[in-house]
């Protein structure tokens, strides 16, 4: 059983809910981290706030060192920090794309590199990467966000095989629509990506409208506790699954994409967003 858990992006949403769920276990010490530690909740039983910016090398090194000095190793790493950069492939600024990948891909990969030596010395550990159903299918105007989550899929699959001989188990959690404020950030980046005179204005409007409707739907979207419960299982189960798809709607969409193939799924998207 792991003694220490490092959670990134724990100031709100899935990260905060996960910290609360894991802290209920008396055998775990949870390190809830965020780029700005003042945004974290005050320390509670079993929860320790810690500064960590997944885009800053020294910050990541310092956080891992802090935990290893107290526990010998990071028992479990939950790579949760991330956000959605929305906009068309043509019009999204490449600096914004680079920031997306620094946060969603390179940060989690670097943290895995930093915790693995300690996990090997300890004879085991857990790495839980928060991906998305968006790593299994793509909606228009989210190409760069989806690309980052496809990358997390690939890294998780490779790492799972590579780390297994050392007793390190790797799981990928793929949430569907979760009410966390993600949609507000995504909508904001979409609005900033192009002006009203964009050739993609009608598509951007359709996607923004559909996104808002979907997150309001009780059938399609759920709260972050649904994901936190699954992450807790991945961290504590004796034999965690390689993948966990969260929400019935996400399961249905992932299987629909797999069964329909590319052309048929494109036709499905045209029904959703219109012929724009």
């Amino acid at each position: 059983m792991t003694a220490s858990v490092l959670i990134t992006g724990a100031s709100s949403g899935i990260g905060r809910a996960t910290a609360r769920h894991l802290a209920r276990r008396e055998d775990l010490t949870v390190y809830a981290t965020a780029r700005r530690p003042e945004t974290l909740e005050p320390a509670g039983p079993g929860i320790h706030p810690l500064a960590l910016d997944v885009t800053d090398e020294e910050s990541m090194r310092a956080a891992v060192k802090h935990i290893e000095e107290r526990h010998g190793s990071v028992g479990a790493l939950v790579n949760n920090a991330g956000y959605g950069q929305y906009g068309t492939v043509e019009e999204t600024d490449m600096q914004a794309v680079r920031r997306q990948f620094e946060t969603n891909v390179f940060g989690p990969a670097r943290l895995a590199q930093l915790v693995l030596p300690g996990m090997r010395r300890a004879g085991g550990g857990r790495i839980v990467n928060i991906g998305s159903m968006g790593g299994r299918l793509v909606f228009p105007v989210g190409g760069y966000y989806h690309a980052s989550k496809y990358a997390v899929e690939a890294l998780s699959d490779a790492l799972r095989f590579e780390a297994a001989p050392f007793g390190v188990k790797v799981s990928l959690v793929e949430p569907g629509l979760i009410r966390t404020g993600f949609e507000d950030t995504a909508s904001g980046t979409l609005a900033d990506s192009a002006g009203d005179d964009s050739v993609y204005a009608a598509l951007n409007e359709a996607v923004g409208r559909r996104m808002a409707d979907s997150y309001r739907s009780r059938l399609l979207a759920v709260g972050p506790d649904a994901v936190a419960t699954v992450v807790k299982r991945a961290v504590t189960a004796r034999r965690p699954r390689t993948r966990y798809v969260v929400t019935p709607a996400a399961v249905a969409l992932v299987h629909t994409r797999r069964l329909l193939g590319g052309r048929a799924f494109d036709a499905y998207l045209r029904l959703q967003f219109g012929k724009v």
Side-chain angles (χ1 to χ4, degrees), residues 74-94:
V74 174
L77 167 64
V78 180
N79 274 319
N80 168 71
Y83 68 98
Q85 174 65 52
Y86 273 63
T88 64
V89 171
E90 179 182 351
E91 293 182 324
T92 303
D93 179 75
M94 290 308 298

Side-chain angles (χ1 to χ4, degrees), residues 132-177:
S132 170
M133 73 172 181
R136 305 275 287 274
L137 54 90
V138 177
F139 291 116
V141 190
Y144 291 113
Y145 168 71
H146 287 280
S148 75
K149 291 304 183 180
Y150 268 71
V152 171
E153 295 264 338
L155 290 172
S156 298
D157 283 343
L159 181 59
R160 185 176 66 252
F161 187 89
E162 295 162 1
F166 306 105
V168 178
K169 296 179 171 63
V170 178
S171 295
L172 178 66
V173 177
E174 302 167 308
L177 301 183

Side-chain angles (χ1 to χ4, degrees), residues 94-157:
M94 290 308 298
Q95 283 298 107
V97 175
R98 293 184 180 94
R99 287 193 297 271
Q100 174 83 123
F101 275 76
E102 286 287 349
T103 302
N104 289 14
V105 182
F106 305 144
R110 182 57 180 147
L111 277 172
Q113 291 180 335
L114 291 172
V115 303
L116 278 166
M119 289 182 175
R120 285 201 306 274
R121 290 193 300 269
R126 301 286 171 91
I127 296 177
V128 180
N129 291 329
I130 306 301
S132 170
M133 73 172 181
R136 305 275 287 274
L137 54 90
V138 177
F139 291 116
V141 190
Y144 291 113
Y145 168 71
H146 287 280
S148 75
K149 291 304 183 180
Y150 268 71
V152 171
E153 295 264 338
L155 290 172
S156 298
D157 283 343

